[in-house]
Amino acid sequence: KNMKNKKKILILGSNSLIGNSLIGKLNKKYTIFTTYHIKKINKNDLKIDLLDVKTLEDAFAVSKPDIVINLCGVYKNLDYCEKNKKFVMDINGKALKIISKISNQYNSFLIGFSSDFVFDGKSGNYKEDDQVSPINYYGKTKAMGEKNIQENANDYCIIRASMIYGKNQLRNTLADMILNKVRLGEELKIINDQFMTPTHLENFTKMLTEIIEMKYKGIIHLAGPERMSRYDFAKKLVSLSNFKDTFLLPVSYNEFDFSKKMPKDSSLNTEKAISLLLNGPEKVENSLKKYLKDIL
């Protein structure tokens, strides 16, 4: 296929955990436009600032994208979000209204990223159409982002993810943190009564690539298929590695102030992804084996 027929993808926030992994999967088939906010990584990166509409308009004008993937977001931690409300809402929430409207002008298919934190965590196993009811400010900003896409974008997919882990250059994920502790023989207090659906980065980007190919419309949960606590996850990881797990100490989330603002069970139901995708949600054990092969 020649360049002319290649669909064009603009990735806002390409320099992120997901962005890095995704570009490798897409760049043969699509023409990819990458972006940066502060530090230019690739020579063709387009500068964007979600608080400056003109920079977004310029990036769209240069790329004329068929597909836009927004990976920009502020998280750091829950406390940071509580302390920087306006900034976090502007980026995670309000910016999506602007991005949706510009996407419409270019007839672009918009893919937005959301989180299991849009749910209150009272029931778990959340389906795509379950009512959102966030219990922390970060979750509120993500719910606002979803709403802005739904109300403004003509053509969109909202993807909810949950605790992504995996080998990457950008930052340590939960799996790395656990192994680093265990390698040093240090004890690790880890929560055993709060639940989620851990998702391997590699599996996530494979699922996402399929969603892009089929232009899936609406909301879909791309996550691991198993509900577990961080402690369950850590035990599984350590038992598959060559380390002993005598240093993992199960504790209740009540012991940590920060985790009181976290949903008790934000596990995502992934039946839709399982029925739809060829490379669907992958069992944690298989993912962890791949992860360990990557790093050990």
Side-chain angles (χ1 to χ4, degrees), residues 122-244:
K122 288 182 183 142
S123 61
N125 192 32
Y126 289 100
K127 291 192 160 75
E128 280 81 358
D129 53 4
D130 283 340
Q131 192 58 49
V132 302
S133 52
I135 56 170
N136 54 55
Y137 196 73
Y138 171 72
K140 287 191 172 105
T141 66
K142 296 303 280 185
M144 178 56 78
E146 287 190 6
K147 190 167 179 279
N148 278 335
I149 291 173
Q150 289 168 305
E151 289 177 0
N152 296 286
N154 296 338
D155 198 11
Y156 69 85
C157 177
I158 292 168
I159 287 164
R160 294 196 190 114
S162 171
M163 206 208 95
I164 293 178
Y165 70 90
K167 180 180 175 357
N168 69 91
Q169 281 79 54
L170 287 175
R171 61 182 166 88
N172 277 351
T173 55
L174 182 66
D176 306 310
M177 192 194 82
I178 292 163
L179 274 192
N180 291 341
K181 282 278 191 198
V182 175
R183 266 183 177 147
L184 296 168
E186 291 176 6
E187 67 175 37
L188 177 61
K189 281 186 173 176
I190 191 153
I191 296 171
N192 72 342
D193 55 357
Q194 216 163 24
F195 301 89
M196 65 216 166
T197 27
T199 313
H200 190 222
L201 180 60
E202 175 76 10
N203 180 215
F204 180 81
T205 47
K206 274 188 180 150
M207 293 194 284
L208 177 54
T209 305
E210 280 191 58
I211 291 294
I212 293 166
E213 294 277 286
M214 67 169 74
K215 273 186 74 171
Y216 182 84
K217 295 180 195 325
I219 300 178
I220 190 161
H221 291 169
L222 299 185
E226 293 156 280
R227 165 193 185 267
M228 52 177 66
S229 69
R230 284 171 179 71
Y231 177 71
D232 300 328
F233 176 76
K235 264 184 69 155
K236 207 178 251 299
L237 170 59
V238 174
S239 72
L240 291 168
S241 74
N242 314 316
F243 301 107
K244 292 197 172 36

Side-chain angles (χ1 to χ4, degrees), residues 21 53 60 62 90 141 172 174 191 201 239 245 251 274 284:
S21 172
V53 179
F60 272 83
V62 170
D90 283 346
T141 66
N172 277 351
L174 182 66
I191 296 171
L201 180 60
S239 72
D245 68 350
V251 295
I274 290 167
V284 172

